[in-house]
Amino acid sequence: MGDSDTDFREMIADGWREALNDSERKQEMRRLSLVRAAGRAFGRKGFHKTTLDEIATELSVTKPMLYRYVKSKQEILYECHRIAISMAEEAHSAAMLSGRTPLERISHFAEDYVARITSTLGSCVVLTEFFSMTPEDTARIQTRRARLDRELRALVSDAIDAGEIAPCDPKLAVFFFMGAINGISRWFMADGPMEGPEIARVFAAHITASLNPTGKTALAG
């Protein structure tokens, strides 16, 4: 195991131990530490083959200690999707305030969302596991995803109406760039050659270029 991999595991474990000792920050730090540790474990063996014992090992805690906070892998999976959709919603809200035009807002959303998921969730291939959640949790996440999808489609429609991009199907446009963003969890490594902010800038540039066949300059810096 490389030094960077060891350092990352120690960071996760430190975050877990700090969460145990700080009641005010405990809940959110516990969730993030769980998701990051689970993401690494699931990435090695897959969601269904990974045990809670292996996740406890990733956190450097005992299984009884882990059971004080989570009872199943489905709970961890739900937390991962809850955190991810929350970050997407926050990125959308920020983009609506920061972008001057619809296409700028799409770009700002993409860059912000990618930066958030890579910095907060790290390698979280478990995001590709959606229907392994309980039906109730799946419905909760799906409701929020559907709302975000409608808001992003509206942005694409606004960009078309503003003449920033050529006429297209907003539904397919959103499927295209959200599929690209969500696919990052399959290959991103926190200790890889490119850091999250750099990947975020590149993805935002590619998305803007793909949606801007008119050749107009849509971004300011």
Side-chain angles (χ1 to χ4, degrees):
M1 184 179 294
D3 290 341
S4 58
D5 193 53
T6 301
D7 291 344
F8 191 71
R9 287 189 60 182
E10 289 176 351
M11 180 184 69
I12 292 173
D14 288 344
W16 179 271
R17 285 190 289 269
E18 185 177 348
L20 295 177
N21 295 324
D22 186 340
S23 59
E24 293 183 0
R25 302 177 62 196
K26 179 172 63 177
Q27 292 301 318
E28 193 60 29
M29 290 184 65
R30 185 268 297 178
R31 292 187 184 100
L32 290 176
S33 294
L34 264 176
V35 167
R36 292 176 74 106
R40 290 170 64 79
F42 293 149
R44 288 193 296 269
K45 296 181 62 176
F47 175 77
H48 295 287
K49 292 183 179 180
T50 302
T51 66
L52 284 178
D53 286 304
E54 291 166 318
I55 296 172
T57 298
E58 197 75 40
L59 287 165
S60 300
V61 299
T62 64
K63 190 174 180 180
M65 178 66 73
L66 182 64
Y67 267 116
R68 288 176 52 187
Y69 295 91
V70 63
K71 303 301 181 185
S72 69
K73 292 188 297 181
Q74 282 72 25
E75 285 186 39
I76 300 173
L77 182 59
Y78 171 71
E79 282 301 316
C80 181
H81 282 282
R82 183 194 65 79
I83 292 169
I85 189 62
S86 293
M87 288 188 294
E89 291 166 344
E90 291 164 3
H92 175 265
S93 295
M96 294 302 291
L97 294 174
S98 62
R100 293 190 298 273
T101 72
L103 190 57
E104 282 186 353
R105 291 169 186 155
I106 293 171
S107 179
H108 289 181
F109 163 79
E111 183 170 350
D112 192 0
Y113 183 35
V114 172
R116 288 171 188 260
I117 59 174
T118 53
S119 65
T120 302
L121 294 180
S123 176
C124 197
V125 71
V126 73
L127 282 173
T128 62
E129 289 282 351
F130 188 75
F131 294 104
S132 293
M133 289 185 288
T134 66
E136 296 78 13
D137 287 344
T138 299
R140 277 193 286 268
I141 297 299
Q142 187 59 37
T143 296
R144 295 173 67 178
R145 287 175 57 162
R147 182 170 58 247
L148 176 67
D149 181 73
R150 290 192 297 271
E151 291 168 340
L152 292 174
R153 290 189 202 183
L155 265 181
V156 172
S157 295
D158 289 345
I160 294 172
D161 292 341
E164 293 185 288
I165 64 177
C168 65
D169 185 333
K171 175 181 177 179
L172 294 182
V174 173
F175 282 175
F176 156 70
F177 66 75
M178 287 301 288
I181 292 173
N182 291 329
I184 291 173
S185 64
R186 293 180 178 273
W187 53 263
F188 175 74
M189 297 298 294
D191 54 358
M194 292 183 68
E195 296 183 352
E198 182 181 3
I199 294 172
R201 288 191 294 272
V202 171
F203 263 63
H206 283 314
I207 289 169
T208 301
S210 68
L211 293 176
N212 186 28
T214 63
K216 295 180 180 179
T217 301
L219 292 182

